[in-house]
Short mmCIF file of all heavy atoms in Angstrom, two decimals:
data_model
loop_
_atom_site.label_atom_id
_atom_site.label_comp_id
_atom_site.label_asym_id
_atom_site.label_seq_id
_atom_site.Cartn_x
_atom_site.Cartn_y
_atom_site.Cartn_z
N MET A 1 282.30 85.28 -32.69
CA MET A 1 283.07 86.21 -31.86
C MET A 1 282.16 86.94 -30.87
O MET A 1 282.50 87.12 -29.70
CB MET A 1 283.81 87.21 -32.74
CG MET A 1 284.98 86.62 -33.52
SD MET A 1 285.73 87.82 -34.62
CE MET A 1 286.30 89.04 -33.45
N LEU A 2 280.98 87.35 -31.34
CA LEU A 2 280.06 88.08 -30.47
C LEU A 2 279.50 87.18 -29.38
O LEU A 2 279.13 87.64 -28.30
CB LEU A 2 278.91 88.66 -31.30
CG LEU A 2 279.30 89.80 -32.25
CD1 LEU A 2 278.13 90.14 -33.16
CD2 LEU A 2 279.74 91.02 -31.46
N ALA A 3 279.44 85.90 -29.65
CA ALA A 3 278.88 84.96 -28.68
C ALA A 3 279.87 84.59 -27.58
O ALA A 3 279.48 84.08 -26.54
CB ALA A 3 278.40 83.69 -29.38
N LEU A 4 281.15 84.82 -27.83
CA LEU A 4 282.16 84.45 -26.84
C LEU A 4 282.10 85.37 -25.63
O LEU A 4 281.77 86.56 -25.76
CB LEU A 4 283.56 84.55 -27.47
CG LEU A 4 283.90 83.49 -28.53
CD1 LEU A 4 285.24 83.81 -29.17
CD2 LEU A 4 283.94 82.10 -27.91
N PRO A 5 282.43 84.85 -24.44
CA PRO A 5 282.48 85.72 -23.25
C PRO A 5 283.59 86.75 -23.39
O PRO A 5 284.60 86.52 -24.07
CB PRO A 5 282.77 84.74 -22.10
CG PRO A 5 283.41 83.56 -22.76
CD PRO A 5 282.78 83.46 -24.12
N ALA A 6 283.36 87.90 -22.76
CA ALA A 6 284.37 88.97 -22.82
C ALA A 6 285.63 88.52 -22.11
O ALA A 6 285.57 87.81 -21.10
CB ALA A 6 283.82 90.24 -22.16
N PRO A 7 286.81 88.88 -22.62
CA PRO A 7 288.05 88.52 -21.92
C PRO A 7 288.12 89.19 -20.57
O PRO A 7 287.48 90.20 -20.31
CB PRO A 7 289.14 89.04 -22.87
CG PRO A 7 288.45 90.09 -23.70
CD PRO A 7 287.03 89.64 -23.84
N ALA A 8 288.95 88.66 -19.69
CA ALA A 8 289.02 89.14 -18.30
C ALA A 8 289.36 90.61 -18.23
O ALA A 8 288.85 91.35 -17.39
CB ALA A 8 290.04 88.31 -17.53
N TYR A 9 290.20 91.09 -19.12
CA TYR A 9 290.63 92.48 -19.06
C TYR A 9 289.54 93.46 -19.45
O TYR A 9 289.68 94.67 -19.29
CB TYR A 9 291.87 92.71 -19.93
CG TYR A 9 291.69 92.36 -21.39
CD1 TYR A 9 291.02 93.22 -22.25
CD2 TYR A 9 292.18 91.16 -21.90
CE1 TYR A 9 290.84 92.89 -23.59
CE2 TYR A 9 292.01 90.83 -23.24
CZ TYR A 9 291.35 91.70 -24.08
OH TYR A 9 291.17 91.37 -25.38
N ALA A 10 288.40 92.94 -19.97
CA ALA A 10 287.33 93.84 -20.40
C ALA A 10 286.48 94.34 -19.24
O ALA A 10 285.67 95.22 -19.42
CB ALA A 10 286.43 93.13 -21.42
N GLY A 11 286.64 93.78 -18.04
CA GLY A 11 285.87 94.22 -16.88
C GLY A 11 286.33 95.56 -16.38
O GLY A 11 287.29 96.15 -16.88
N PRO A 12 285.66 96.09 -15.36
CA PRO A 12 286.04 97.38 -14.80
C PRO A 12 287.47 97.34 -14.28
O PRO A 12 287.87 96.39 -13.59
CB PRO A 12 285.04 97.58 -13.66
CG PRO A 12 283.92 96.64 -13.95
CD PRO A 12 284.51 95.49 -14.67
N ARG A 13 288.24 98.34 -14.59
CA ARG A 13 289.62 98.39 -14.08
C ARG A 13 289.60 98.76 -12.61
O ARG A 13 288.61 99.29 -12.10
CB ARG A 13 290.43 99.40 -14.87
CG ARG A 13 289.92 100.83 -14.75
CD ARG A 13 290.86 101.80 -15.40
NE ARG A 13 290.32 103.15 -15.39
CZ ARG A 13 290.33 103.94 -14.34
NH1 ARG A 13 290.84 103.51 -13.20
NH2 ARG A 13 289.82 105.15 -14.39
N GLN A 14 290.70 98.48 -11.93
CA GLN A 14 290.79 98.83 -10.52
C GLN A 14 290.74 100.34 -10.37
O GLN A 14 291.44 101.05 -11.08
CB GLN A 14 292.07 98.28 -9.89
CG GLN A 14 292.18 98.61 -8.41
CD GLN A 14 293.23 97.76 -7.71
OE1 GLN A 14 293.20 96.55 -7.78
NE2 GLN A 14 294.17 98.42 -7.04
N PRO A 15 289.92 100.85 -9.48
CA PRO A 15 289.79 102.31 -9.33
C PRO A 15 291.08 102.94 -8.84
O PRO A 15 291.88 102.31 -8.15
CB PRO A 15 288.66 102.46 -8.30
CG PRO A 15 288.64 101.16 -7.56
CD PRO A 15 289.03 100.12 -8.55
N ARG A 16 291.25 104.20 -9.17
CA ARG A 16 292.47 104.92 -8.78
C ARG A 16 292.40 105.45 -7.36
O ARG A 16 293.43 105.70 -6.75
CB ARG A 16 292.69 106.09 -9.75
CG ARG A 16 293.03 105.67 -11.16
CD ARG A 16 292.92 106.83 -12.12
NE ARG A 16 291.53 107.29 -12.25
CZ ARG A 16 291.13 108.19 -13.13
NH1 ARG A 16 292.00 108.75 -13.96
NH2 ARG A 16 289.87 108.54 -13.20
N ASP A 17 291.18 105.65 -6.83
CA ASP A 17 291.03 106.23 -5.50
C ASP A 17 289.67 105.83 -4.94
O ASP A 17 288.88 105.16 -5.60
CB ASP A 17 291.19 107.75 -5.55
CG ASP A 17 290.29 108.41 -6.58
OD1 ASP A 17 289.09 108.06 -6.63
OD2 ASP A 17 290.77 109.26 -7.35
N LEU A 18 289.40 106.27 -3.71
CA LEU A 18 288.17 105.85 -3.04
C LEU A 18 286.93 106.45 -3.67
O LEU A 18 285.87 105.83 -3.70
CB LEU A 18 288.24 106.21 -1.55
CG LEU A 18 289.33 105.50 -0.74
CD1 LEU A 18 289.33 105.98 0.71
CD2 LEU A 18 289.15 103.98 -0.80
N ARG A 19 287.04 107.66 -4.17
CA ARG A 19 285.87 108.27 -4.81
C ARG A 19 285.48 107.50 -6.08
O ARG A 19 284.30 107.28 -6.34
CB ARG A 19 286.15 109.74 -5.13
CG ARG A 19 284.89 110.54 -5.42
CD ARG A 19 285.24 111.98 -5.78
NE ARG A 19 285.45 112.82 -4.63
CZ ARG A 19 284.63 113.81 -4.25
NH1 ARG A 19 283.51 114.03 -4.92
NH2 ARG A 19 284.92 114.55 -3.20
N GLU A 20 286.48 107.06 -6.82
CA GLU A 20 286.19 106.25 -8.01
C GLU A 20 285.66 104.87 -7.61
O GLU A 20 284.77 104.32 -8.26
CB GLU A 20 287.44 106.11 -8.87
CG GLU A 20 287.17 105.48 -10.22
CD GLU A 20 288.37 105.57 -11.14
OE1 GLU A 20 288.69 106.69 -11.60
OE2 GLU A 20 289.00 104.52 -11.39
N LEU A 21 286.18 104.33 -6.52
CA LEU A 21 285.67 103.07 -5.99
C LEU A 21 284.18 103.20 -5.64
O LEU A 21 283.37 102.32 -5.96
CB LEU A 21 286.47 102.66 -4.75
CG LEU A 21 286.03 101.39 -4.02
CD1 LEU A 21 286.35 100.15 -4.84
CD2 LEU A 21 286.70 101.31 -2.64
N ALA A 22 283.83 104.29 -4.98
CA ALA A 22 282.44 104.53 -4.62
C ALA A 22 281.56 104.59 -5.87
O ALA A 22 280.45 104.04 -5.90
CB ALA A 22 282.32 105.83 -3.82
N HIS A 23 282.05 105.25 -6.90
CA HIS A 23 281.29 105.37 -8.14
C HIS A 23 281.07 103.99 -8.78
O HIS A 23 279.97 103.67 -9.23
CB HIS A 23 282.01 106.30 -9.12
CG HIS A 23 281.33 106.42 -10.45
ND1 HIS A 23 280.17 107.13 -10.63
CD2 HIS A 23 281.65 105.90 -11.66
CE1 HIS A 23 279.79 107.05 -11.90
NE2 HIS A 23 280.68 106.31 -12.54
N GLN A 24 282.13 103.18 -8.80
CA GLN A 24 282.01 101.84 -9.41
C GLN A 24 280.98 100.99 -8.68
O GLN A 24 280.23 100.23 -9.30
CB GLN A 24 283.37 101.14 -9.40
CG GLN A 24 284.32 101.61 -10.48
CD GLN A 24 285.54 100.70 -10.62
OE1 GLN A 24 285.62 99.65 -9.99
NE2 GLN A 24 286.49 101.12 -11.43
N HIS A 25 280.94 101.10 -7.35
CA HIS A 25 280.05 100.26 -6.56
C HIS A 25 278.66 100.89 -6.36
O HIS A 25 277.75 100.23 -5.85
CB HIS A 25 280.65 99.98 -5.19
CG HIS A 25 281.84 99.06 -5.23
ND1 HIS A 25 281.79 97.81 -5.78
CD2 HIS A 25 283.11 99.21 -4.77
CE1 HIS A 25 282.97 97.22 -5.66
NE2 HIS A 25 283.79 98.04 -5.06
N GLY A 26 278.51 102.15 -6.71
CA GLY A 26 277.23 102.81 -6.54
C GLY A 26 276.88 103.07 -5.09
O GLY A 26 275.70 103.03 -4.71
N ILE A 27 277.89 103.33 -4.25
CA ILE A 27 277.66 103.65 -2.84
C ILE A 27 278.37 104.95 -2.49
O ILE A 27 279.04 105.55 -3.33
CB ILE A 27 278.15 102.52 -1.90
CG1 ILE A 27 279.68 102.38 -1.98
CG2 ILE A 27 277.46 101.21 -2.22
CD1 ILE A 27 280.24 101.47 -0.91
N ARG A 28 278.21 105.37 -1.24
CA ARG A 28 278.93 106.54 -0.73
C ARG A 28 280.04 106.04 0.17
O ARG A 28 279.81 105.23 1.05
CB ARG A 28 277.97 107.45 0.03
CG ARG A 28 276.81 107.94 -0.82
CD ARG A 28 275.75 108.67 0.00
NE ARG A 28 274.63 109.05 -0.84
CZ ARG A 28 273.55 108.31 -1.06
NH1 ARG A 28 273.45 107.11 -0.48
NH2 ARG A 28 272.58 108.73 -1.85
N ILE A 29 281.24 106.54 -0.06
CA ILE A 29 282.38 106.21 0.79
C ILE A 29 282.81 107.49 1.48
O ILE A 29 283.14 108.48 0.84
CB ILE A 29 283.53 105.58 -0.01
CG1 ILE A 29 283.08 104.23 -0.56
CG2 ILE A 29 284.77 105.41 0.87
CD1 ILE A 29 284.13 103.47 -1.33
N GLY A 30 282.77 107.46 2.82
CA GLY A 30 282.96 108.69 3.57
C GLY A 30 283.97 108.56 4.68
O GLY A 30 284.57 107.50 4.92
N THR A 31 284.14 109.67 5.39
CA THR A 31 285.04 109.72 6.54
C THR A 31 284.52 110.74 7.54
O THR A 31 283.83 111.69 7.18
CB THR A 31 286.47 110.11 6.11
OG1 THR A 31 287.33 110.08 7.27
CG2 THR A 31 286.52 111.51 5.51
N ALA A 32 284.88 110.50 8.81
CA ALA A 32 284.70 111.54 9.81
C ALA A 32 285.75 112.62 9.59
O ALA A 32 286.88 112.33 9.16
CB ALA A 32 284.84 110.96 11.21
N VAL A 33 285.39 113.86 9.88
CA VAL A 33 286.26 115.00 9.60
C VAL A 33 286.66 115.70 10.89
O VAL A 33 285.81 116.07 11.70
CB VAL A 33 285.56 115.99 8.65
CG1 VAL A 33 286.43 117.23 8.42
CG2 VAL A 33 285.21 115.31 7.34
N ASP A 34 287.97 115.87 11.05
CA ASP A 34 288.53 116.68 12.13
C ASP A 34 288.49 118.13 11.65
O ASP A 34 289.19 118.50 10.71
CB ASP A 34 289.95 116.23 12.43
CG ASP A 34 290.61 117.00 13.56
OD1 ASP A 34 290.67 118.25 13.48
OD2 ASP A 34 291.06 116.36 14.53
N ILE A 35 287.67 118.96 12.30
CA ILE A 35 287.43 120.30 11.77
C ILE A 35 288.67 121.18 11.85
O ILE A 35 288.91 122.02 10.97
CB ILE A 35 286.23 120.97 12.48
CG1 ILE A 35 285.73 122.18 11.68
CG2 ILE A 35 286.56 121.33 13.91
CD1 ILE A 35 285.14 121.82 10.35
N ALA A 36 289.51 121.02 12.89
CA ALA A 36 290.74 121.81 12.99
C ALA A 36 291.69 121.44 11.86
O ALA A 36 292.33 122.32 11.26
CB ALA A 36 291.40 121.59 14.35
N ALA A 37 291.80 120.17 11.56
CA ALA A 37 292.66 119.74 10.46
C ALA A 37 292.12 120.24 9.12
O ALA A 37 292.89 120.64 8.23
CB ALA A 37 292.78 118.23 10.45
N LEU A 38 290.80 120.24 8.96
CA LEU A 38 290.20 120.75 7.74
C LEU A 38 290.60 122.21 7.52
O LEU A 38 290.92 122.62 6.40
CB LEU A 38 288.67 120.63 7.83
CG LEU A 38 287.87 121.25 6.68
CD1 LEU A 38 288.14 120.53 5.37
CD2 LEU A 38 286.38 121.23 6.99
N ARG A 39 290.62 122.97 8.59
CA ARG A 39 290.95 124.40 8.47
C ARG A 39 292.45 124.65 8.29
O ARG A 39 292.85 125.51 7.50
CB ARG A 39 290.48 125.13 9.73
CG ARG A 39 288.99 125.41 9.80
CD ARG A 39 288.72 126.52 10.80
NE ARG A 39 287.34 126.94 10.76
CZ ARG A 39 286.43 126.60 11.69
NH1 ARG A 39 286.78 125.84 12.72
NH2 ARG A 39 285.19 127.03 11.60
N ASP A 40 293.26 123.88 9.01
CA ASP A 40 294.67 124.26 9.17
C ASP A 40 295.67 123.44 8.37
O ASP A 40 296.83 123.85 8.25
CB ASP A 40 295.06 124.17 10.65
CG ASP A 40 294.21 125.07 11.54
OD1 ASP A 40 293.68 126.08 11.02
OD2 ASP A 40 294.07 124.76 12.74
N GLU A 41 295.27 122.29 7.84
CA GLU A 41 296.24 121.40 7.21
C GLU A 41 295.87 121.19 5.74
O GLU A 41 294.93 120.47 5.41
CB GLU A 41 296.29 120.06 7.94
CG GLU A 41 296.72 120.21 9.40
CD GLU A 41 296.64 118.91 10.18
OE1 GLU A 41 296.59 117.82 9.54
OE2 GLU A 41 296.61 118.97 11.42
N ALA A 42 296.64 121.80 4.86
CA ALA A 42 296.34 121.74 3.43
C ALA A 42 296.43 120.31 2.89
O ALA A 42 295.62 119.92 2.03
CB ALA A 42 297.28 122.65 2.66
N ASP A 43 297.39 119.52 3.38
CA ASP A 43 297.52 118.16 2.87
C ASP A 43 296.34 117.29 3.32
O ASP A 43 295.82 116.47 2.54
CB ASP A 43 298.85 117.54 3.28
CG ASP A 43 299.09 117.52 4.79
OD1 ASP A 43 298.33 118.17 5.54
OD2 ASP A 43 300.07 116.86 5.22
N TYR A 44 295.89 117.48 4.54
CA TYR A 44 294.70 116.77 5.04
C TYR A 44 293.49 117.14 4.18
O TYR A 44 292.73 116.27 3.74
CB TYR A 44 294.47 117.14 6.50
CG TYR A 44 293.22 116.56 7.14
CD1 TYR A 44 293.30 115.42 7.92
CD2 TYR A 44 291.97 117.17 6.98
CE1 TYR A 44 292.16 114.88 8.53
CE2 TYR A 44 290.84 116.64 7.57
CZ TYR A 44 290.93 115.50 8.34
OH TYR A 44 289.81 114.97 8.94
N ARG A 45 293.31 118.42 3.96
CA ARG A 45 292.15 118.92 3.20
C ARG A 45 292.17 118.38 1.76
O ARG A 45 291.13 117.98 1.22
CB ARG A 45 292.18 120.44 3.21
CG ARG A 45 290.94 121.11 2.67
CD ARG A 45 290.91 122.58 3.07
NE ARG A 45 292.12 123.31 2.69
CZ ARG A 45 293.01 123.79 3.57
NH1 ARG A 45 292.85 123.62 4.86
NH2 ARG A 45 294.08 124.45 3.14
N LYS A 46 293.34 118.31 1.16
CA LYS A 46 293.46 117.83 -0.21
C LYS A 46 293.04 116.37 -0.32
O LYS A 46 292.27 115.99 -1.22
CB LYS A 46 294.89 118.00 -0.71
CG LYS A 46 295.11 117.55 -2.14
CD LYS A 46 296.55 117.79 -2.58
CE LYS A 46 296.77 117.32 -4.01
NZ LYS A 46 298.18 117.55 -4.45
N VAL A 47 293.52 115.53 0.60
CA VAL A 47 293.17 114.12 0.57
C VAL A 47 291.67 113.94 0.85
O VAL A 47 290.99 113.17 0.17
CB VAL A 47 294.00 113.32 1.60
CG1 VAL A 47 293.50 111.89 1.71
CG2 VAL A 47 295.48 113.34 1.21
N LEU A 48 291.16 114.63 1.85
CA LEU A 48 289.74 114.55 2.19
C LEU A 48 288.87 114.84 0.98
O LEU A 48 287.94 114.07 0.65
CB LEU A 48 289.43 115.54 3.31
CG LEU A 48 287.94 115.80 3.60
CD1 LEU A 48 287.31 114.56 4.25
CD2 LEU A 48 287.77 117.02 4.49
#
């Protein structure tokens, strides 16, 4: 049993969001920021 390859489902699951994707791949995933939207739009700020 220990010698058998791991089943397909044992690999990393699909990430839930881009930050988790970045963590899985060991890179930085970023975006350019609109500063007015950062200040004035709560939904924009939350996603960012």
Side-chain angles (χ1 to χ4, degrees):
M1 289 176 62
L2 291 172
L4 290 173
Y9 58 79
R13 62 173 175 78
Q14 181 164 306
R16 293 167 294 187
D17 52 47
L18 296 178
R19 197 182 277 249
E20 189 170 289
L21 177 71
H23 177 73
Q24 282 191 7
H25 289 304
I27 65 170
R28 301 171 183 91
I29 294 182
T31 183
V33 177
D34 181 304
I35 196 66
L38 174 65
R39 283 200 172 104
D40 301 335
E41 299 174 19
D43 57 349
Y44 176 98
R45 190 164 54 248
K46 181 178 179 180
V47 172
L48 168 70

